[in-house]
Amino acid sequence: MALSFDSTVKEVLDDPEGVKILDELIPGMSTDPRTAMAYAIPMRALMAFPANGFPQELQDEMEKRLTALSE
C-alpha cells in the first residue's frame, strides 16, 4: 500500500519504510505505547493538532518523505 500524509498512524507503522521515517523525524513515536491511541488518525491531522507542538517544517518534511514512498 502506498503511504501519504493522509495515511493513518497505523498504516504508517505497518510499513517498515514508514517506521524508518517516523523514527528519524520523531524519535520514539514508533515505540511509544501512547501512539496506539492515535492509530486511526491521519498523520496530517495528528501533526497539525496544536497541542502536539509539531512545527510546520517538520510537518512539511513528513509529508514530503511519505509522499516520496509512493512515487
Side-chain angles (χ1 to χ4, degrees):
M1 173 173 72
L3 293 179
S4 74
F5 202 43
D6 293 311
S7 297
T8 65
V9 171
K10 177 81 166 106
E11 291 168 337
V12 173
L13 288 171
D14 284 345
D15 185 291
E17 293 300 315
V19 172
K20 286 181 189 177
I21 292 169
L22 278 180
D23 286 343
E24 184 177 333
L25 297 179
I26 309 170
M29 183 175 172
S30 68
T31 57
D32 189 325
R34 296 173 295 178
T35 301
M37 293 184 290
Y39 277 178
I41 301 172
M43 287 300 300
R44 178 183 308 278
L46 179 73
M47 293 191 76
F49 189 66
N52 289 333
F54 294 119
Q56 187 61 50
E57 296 80 20
L58 179 60
Q59 294 177 52
D60 293 343
E61 185 65 19
M62 180 71 73
E63 181 171 19
K64 178 179 125 186
R65 291 190 188 192
L66 290 176
T67 300
L69 291 178
S70 63
E71 294 178 344

